[in-house]
Amino acid sequence: MAATWLNDAVFYEIYPQSFFDTNGDGIGDIPGMTAKLDYVKSLGCNALWINPCFDSPFKDAGYDVRDYKKVAPRYGTNEDLVHFFEEAHKRGIRVLLDLVPCHTSEEHPWFRESSKEEPNEYSDRFIWTNSCWEHPEDIPFVGGEAPRDGCYILSFFKCQPALNFGFGTPKAPWQQQAGSAHTLETREAIWDVMRFWLEKGCDGFRVDMAGALVKNDTPDRAYTQEVYKDFRQRLDAQFPEAALVAEWNTPEQALNCGFDMDFYLSWAGNGYSHLMRNYPVIGQEGPEGGDSSYFKADTDADPLPFLAEYLPTYLKTRGKGLWCFITCNHDTVRPRFNLSPEELKLAYSLIFTMPGAPFLYYGDEIGMRYRKLPNKEGGFNRTGSRSPMQWTNGENLGFSQGKAEDLYLPVDPAPGAPTVEAQESDPDSLLNYTRRLIALRHSQPELQARSPFLPYFAEPGNRLLAYKRGTLLCAVNPGREALTLNLDGKYRLLFSQGDAALTDDTLTLRGFAVLAPL
Ligand code: NOJ
């Protein structure tokens, strides 16, 4: 059963270490997230995704979990998190935690036990070869580090040993069949983590590397899907309103096995990148040329490469779950890197009027910049999208009362760096525009998650894209020239940004407009 609240959900992603610091140690914390819930509500966001906030050595920003059931002390306590759920719920805001089922930290007690020479309860919780000389083919591994005589395989970085969900087609004796006894123990252990937080009041999970549970899986990841089908059955029985969003980027698979949502992520050359981030080289202040993103005002890109990818997948998966647009996330270069605030307004116009549940990454609502920053906690080039939230024009831009040198990452030093404070009072700010868009979405059921999408106008060489959401007609023209669209009936202007002139049978547009039938 799909969580009914998702239809009108608008998510806000919080990277906890960079959101708001209440104890002056320079790192964001859970009381800080609680303190900013009214701000989240003021945006119109009614759901949150919190990046991992669990005990961790932070070699991958918390995606290396040392204790799934304990809040990282730098963020607060389990009680703080439960209080946060309660305060969020009072405001009608749901909270998804980040579940990391593919790997733990190398410091997790399960892995420490698994590394021991003497066989024990956790020997098969991770994936080990039978000798340190036996090297897995085509799978990254570590050998010679543990007392145990074997190599263990990795899921992501060196600090993240892969949990044992088995193999679709085992090819060596040390590879266990997915679904066999020890792999089921791993499944139970992850379910136990899910139940632990759901019972404490969280509303579901964003699932990290969701499609990668079972190694050497079938092309449609049938064995991985089997695990989530099982989780979904248990959720339906015990937590029917819990929601799951996959980091999978293959909605045909993710939405088939019990996920409510999958992300439409930005991958080089894909349809979403064509819209937002179609540039070849990452420089410091912006792309070093060659940015042909559709939402760049001065390109001649048309929307067809986006539609060619989006539409078939949308049609295949509609009715099964939600394929969700993001403004960005903690792994992606912020869209302000290459798009101006005016260009962002049009990009967000599309994002907040498409099917699925939109995800707004903290700070994108004010157009925070991507900055070239030294690697922090395994962020590498992603670090530049993880800098502290810019609240006020005061010290540390309102993020922390700590010393500037103690901050998790330096705040944006640019004169006039965007802040919530500066944009609050400007009706034309990106912040207030984003609020208006989200309010529009809440006010129009036809703009929400499951209402039908149908392209209305897109042509080679033409900058205009128009699409129907139910009976509403949305149109965007990110170019500098106004363009005219023929209408299929009589409409009134419901919402617009830029120049929109409506006659009985045409719309002439530079910007964005939503029309409602008369
Ligand atoms: C995807 C997460 O979004 C990313 O930040 C992390 O490094 C990897 N998965 C590994 O967990």
Side-chain angles (χ1 to χ4, degrees):
M1 184 173 117
T4 48
W5 56 272
L6 285 175
N7 204 41
D8 189 25
V10 177
F11 281 86
Y12 191 74
E13 178 190 346
I14 294 182
Y15 187 71
Q17 48 271 66
S18 293
F19 198 54
F20 187 51
D21 169 25
T22 55
N23 62 0
D25 66 357
I27 298 182
D29 44 46
I30 291 171
M33 300 188 325
T34 308
K36 295 296 184 185
L37 280 168
D38 286 331
Y39 170 75
V40 170
K41 191 170 165 73
S42 82
L43 296 172
C45 293
N46 53 12
L48 289 164
W49 156 29
I50 312 298
N51 289 114
C53 54
F54 313 108
D55 184 40
S56 165
F58 293 103
K59 291 187 179 172
D60 184 16
Y63 283 95
D64 47 330
V65 180
R66 186 164 49 201
D67 185 344
Y68 287 104
K69 294 184 177 176
K70 181 180 171 196
V71 164
R74 75 185 200 182
Y75 298 138
T77 61
N78 284 16
E79 290 68 39
D80 290 332
L81 187 55
V82 170
H83 179 64
F84 173 71
F85 297 151
E86 289 164 1
E87 289 298 314
H89 293 161
K90 277 187 203 160
R91 292 163 176 81
I93 297 173
R94 317 266 178 159
V95 183
L96 303 191
L97 296 178
D98 213 316
L99 181 75
V100 188
C102 284
H103 48 260
T104 64
S105 156
E106 62 198 344
E107 294 185 20
H108 194 293
W110 298 344
F111 186 67
R112 288 191 190 280
E113 286 300 307
S114 198
S115 302
K116 290 186 177 161
E117 220 173 341
E118 283 301 303
N120 60 57
E121 196 189 334
Y122 298 97
S123 298
D124 293 293
R125 182 60 53 87
F126 296 84
I127 305 173
W128 294 83
T129 65
N130 286 330
S131 121
C132 70
W133 310 119
E134 187 177 6
H135 295 175
E137 275 172 37
D138 310 325
I139 313 180
F141 68 93
V142 172
E145 282 257 315
R148 175 171 174 168
D149 185 10
C151 299
Y152 59 91
I153 72 166
L154 299 175
S155 173
F156 196 67
F157 286 152
K158 185 253 160 194
C159 61
Q160 291 156 319
L163 280 160
N164 181 19
F165 284 90
F167 286 71
T169 310
K171 287 193 190 148
W174 53 270
Q175 301 185 357
Q176 298 174 6
Q177 177 64 53
S180 63
H182 292 303
T183 72
L184 293 181
E185 285 165 18
T186 309
R187 189 189 297 188
E188 285 312 314
I190 292 298
W191 169 251
D192 181 52
V193 171
M194 294 168 74
R195 197 184 44 211
F196 178 83
W197 288 112
L198 289 163
E199 281 173 352
K200 291 204 175 310
C202 92
D203 299 286
F205 302 94
R206 175 267 188 189
V207 181
D208 187 63
M209 293 178 57
L213 286 185
V214 173
K215 312 303 171 209
N216 197 21
D217 205 342
T218 61
D220 66 348
R221 301 202 176 122
Y223 289 97
T224 297
Q225 290 200 41
E226 208 282 309
V227 178
Y228 293 112
K229 284 180 184 163
D230 182 10
F231 286 158
R232 172 49 69 185
Q233 271 194 355
R234 301 180 196 212
L235 289 173
D236 285 350
Q238 297 174 49
F239 305 98
E241 283 291 288
L244 293 181
V245 55
E247 188 203 26
W248 194 317
N249 214 14
T250 312
E252 299 92 318
Q253 294 171 7
L255 303 180
N256 186 51
C257 61
F259 278 95
D260 303 280
M261 303 172 271
D262 192 9
F263 288 119
Y264 190 12
L265 295 175
S266 173
W267 284 352
N270 81 345
Y272 172 76
S273 295
H274 173 77
L275 295 177
M276 305 278 290
R277 42 189 88 233
N278 200 6
Y279 45 83
V281 183
I282 292 185
Q284 191 154 341
E285 298 304 328
E288 289 167 7
D291 183 356
S292 54
S293 308
Y294 173 69
F295 281 110
K296 202 76 211 141
D298 288 321
T299 62
D300 54 9
D302 64 47
L304 289 171
F306 157 66
L307 281 179
E309 178 182 79
Y310 179 77
L311 194 58
T313 305
Y314 165 75
L315 291 174
K316 257 189 264 165
T317 58
R318 78 181 155 173
K320 295 190 176 150
L322 313 179
W323 193 23
C324 300
F325 282 80
I326 60 173
T327 59
C328 171
N329 70 25
H330 63 289
D331 293 332
T332 320
V333 173
R334 282 193 185 271
R336 177 68 183 87
F337 180 66
N338 63 317
L339 300 179
S340 70
E342 290 310 302
E343 290 166 340
L344 282 176
K345 285 180 183 172
L346 299 187
Y348 294 176
S349 299
L350 178 116
I351 287 174
F352 288 105
T353 56
M354 288 295 279
F359 280 70
L360 174 63
Y361 183 53
Y362 85 95
D364 279 349
E365 71 275 25
I366 54 171
M368 270 172 61
R369 294 192 306 148
Y370 171 83
R371 288 150 60 215
K372 187 102 183 84
L373 291 173
N375 171 40
K376 178 81 178 182
E377 297 185 345
F380 297 96
N381 66 321
R382 308 174 294 182
T383 307
S385 294
R386 299 174 174 187
S387 57
M389 178 66 181
Q390 298 163 195
W391 295 106
T392 70
N393 303 334
E395 202 181 336
N396 297 330
L397 300 185
F399 162 65
S400 165
Q401 296 189 335
K403 295 196 208 107
E405 62 270 25
D406 292 342
L407 300 191
Y408 176 75
L409 284 168
V411 295
D412 189 344
T419 63
V420 173
E421 182 181 1
Q423 294 195 14
E424 281 286 2
S425 52
D426 173 3
D428 289 331
S429 64
L430 184 58
L431 173 65
N432 282 321
Y433 183 69
T434 306
R435 284 180 169 139
R436 285 201 291 281
L437 273 174
I438 296 175
L440 172 74
R441 186 177 174 100
H442 289 312
S443 73
Q444 302 294 322
E446 289 185 305
L447 290 180
Q448 294 168 9
R450 298 182 177 90
S451 157
F453 165 87
L454 195 66
Y456 178 81
F457 179 88
E459 276 185 0
N462 195 314
R463 299 281 280 139
L464 202 96
L465 167 64
Y467 47 97
K468 286 270 183 91
R469 296 296 317 279
T471 66
L472 300 180
L473 178 58
C474 304
V476 63
N477 168 18
R480 298 212 186 266
E481 306 283 314
L483 294 168
T484 297
L485 180 71
N486 291 324
L487 301 176
D488 61 347
K490 302 270 175 267
Y491 287 93
R492 73 191 160 89
L493 202 54
L494 190 67
F495 182 93
S496 70
Q497 164 67 15
D499 304 322
L502 191 61
T503 69
D504 270 359
D505 43 22
T506 63
L507 168 71
T508 300
L509 179 70
R510 194 189 55 82
F512 174 70
V514 182
L515 311 183
L518 265 186

